[in-house]
């Protein structure tokens, strides 16, 4: 937890969200923002064809749902799901606007996040254009291994994701994702243990 946000958290409503529960749904009215105290959040989008893609995993220490503070559009642009048991600090937009009259720390962090996400958008475009699906999958697995929810064992960092989830992350079917994971295992780039996929810590 960032020390400068202690006062904000004390003023917000603390909520515990069970694993796999959506607490923001794409298309619904946006009424509040959240600060992730602990746990990770999966961000997914549904396109016009009804296909769902996981576009990001957000670690603790960041705000989500902040886009409703800006512009006239007040509908959620993505669905947020708790990847593990989640603790968040929730504040409605009117409450937040009143709060930052006396404490600008939260809005400073939100501006920093938005600048970072603009850079990430450019990076993600390059990621899809310049890499094969297998390369994208390996890059995504390394990113997942850096999250707090990953487990370390004998020099390998393990993350639990279904093949369906991996396919949604890199833009392919569950079957293709499964075949790519097997290829990466044969190449020695990943190690499988039950439903977990391991990446070497120095990979």
């Amino acid at each position: 937890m960032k020390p400068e946000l202690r006062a904000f958290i004390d003023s917000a409503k603390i909520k515990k969200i069970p694993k796999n529960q959506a607490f923001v749904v794409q298309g619904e009215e946006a009424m509040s923002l959240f600060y992730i105290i602990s746990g990770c959040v999966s961000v997914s989008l549904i396109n016009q064809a009804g296909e769902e893609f996981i576009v990001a995993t957000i670690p603790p220490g960041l705000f989500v749902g902040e886009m409703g503070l800006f512009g006239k559009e007040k509908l959620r642009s993505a669905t947020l799901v708790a990847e593990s048991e989640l603790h968040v600090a929730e504040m409605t937009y009117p409450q937040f606007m009143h709060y930052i009259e006396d404490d600008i720390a939260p809005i400073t962090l939100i501006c920093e996040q938005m600048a970072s996400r603009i850079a990430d958008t450019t990076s993600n475009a390059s990621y899809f254009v310049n890499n094969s699906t297998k390369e994208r999958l390996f890059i995504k697995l390394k990113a997942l291994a850096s999250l707090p929810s990953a487990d370390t064992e004998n020099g390998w960092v393990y993350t639990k994701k279904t093949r369906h989830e991996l396919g949604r992350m890199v833009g392919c079917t569950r079957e293709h994702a499964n075949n790519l994971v097997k290829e990466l295992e044969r190449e020695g780039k990943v190690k499988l243990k039950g439903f977990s996929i391991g990446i070497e810590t120095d990979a």
Side-chain angles (χ1 to χ4, degrees):
M1 181 190 305
K2 296 181 183 297
E4 62 269 30
L5 293 179
R6 181 71 266 176
F8 168 80
I9 292 170
D10 289 342
S11 300
K13 179 181 179 182
I14 307 302
K15 297 179 70 174
K16 182 170 75 172
I17 300 171
K19 180 180 179 180
N20 296 327
Q21 180 173 309
F23 61 101
V24 166
V25 177
Q26 183 177 345
E28 290 188 350
E29 184 180 3
M31 300 178 66
S32 58
L33 78 164
F34 306 83
Y35 177 77
I36 307 171
I37 299 172
S38 65
C40 291
V41 173
S42 173
V43 183
S44 64
L45 297 175
I46 298 176
N47 65 17
Q48 292 182 340
E51 300 168 318
E52 184 179 15
F53 295 89
I54 298 175
V55 296
T57 301
I58 302 178
L62 296 176
F63 283 94
V64 292
E66 77 283 358
M67 292 306 295
L69 289 167
F70 308 97
K72 296 181 180 180
E73 181 59 61
K74 296 299 181 182
L75 298 180
R76 298 296 193 188
S77 60
T79 294
L80 306 181
V81 176
E83 287 203 343
S84 56
E85 184 176 85
L86 195 67
H87 289 85
V88 298
E90 180 183 14
M91 190 175 284
T92 67
Y93 296 141
Q95 289 171 336
F96 182 79
M97 297 307 292
H98 178 70
Y99 178 85
I100 60 174
E101 291 177 3
D102 299 313
D103 180 5
I104 65 168
I107 200 69
T108 299
L109 178 58
I110 287 172
C111 289
E112 291 174 355
Q113 282 185 206
M114 293 181 73
S116 176
R117 286 174 185 170
I118 290 171
D120 287 345
T121 299
T122 303
S123 176
N124 287 338
S126 175
Y127 159 81
F128 270 94
V129 170
N130 297 321
N131 294 290
S132 67
T133 308
K134 185 168 73 172
E135 289 168 335
R136 295 201 304 268
L137 177 59
F138 186 57
I139 292 168
K140 180 59 68 174
L141 288 170
K142 288 196 291 184
L144 291 171
S146 69
L147 295 173
S149 56
D151 298 317
T152 302
E153 181 181 317
N154 299 325
W156 292 79
V157 183
Y158 289 90
T159 183
K160 274 189 177 182
K161 288 292 175 187
T162 67
R163 303 302 187 263
H164 179 61
E165 288 174 319
L166 292 174
R168 285 157 56 199
M169 290 177 179
V170 299
C172 70
T173 64
R174 178 184 64 80
E175 292 77 10
H176 190 38
N178 186 51
N179 291 334
L180 293 177
V181 168
K182 290 178 179 178
E183 283 186 32
L184 290 171
E185 183 186 28
R186 288 194 294 269
E187 294 169 4
K189 293 182 177 180
V190 304
K191 187 175 183 179
L192 303 183
K193 187 181 72 170
F195 293 104
S196 299
I197 304 172
I199 298 286
E200 281 192 291
T201 52
D202 59 350

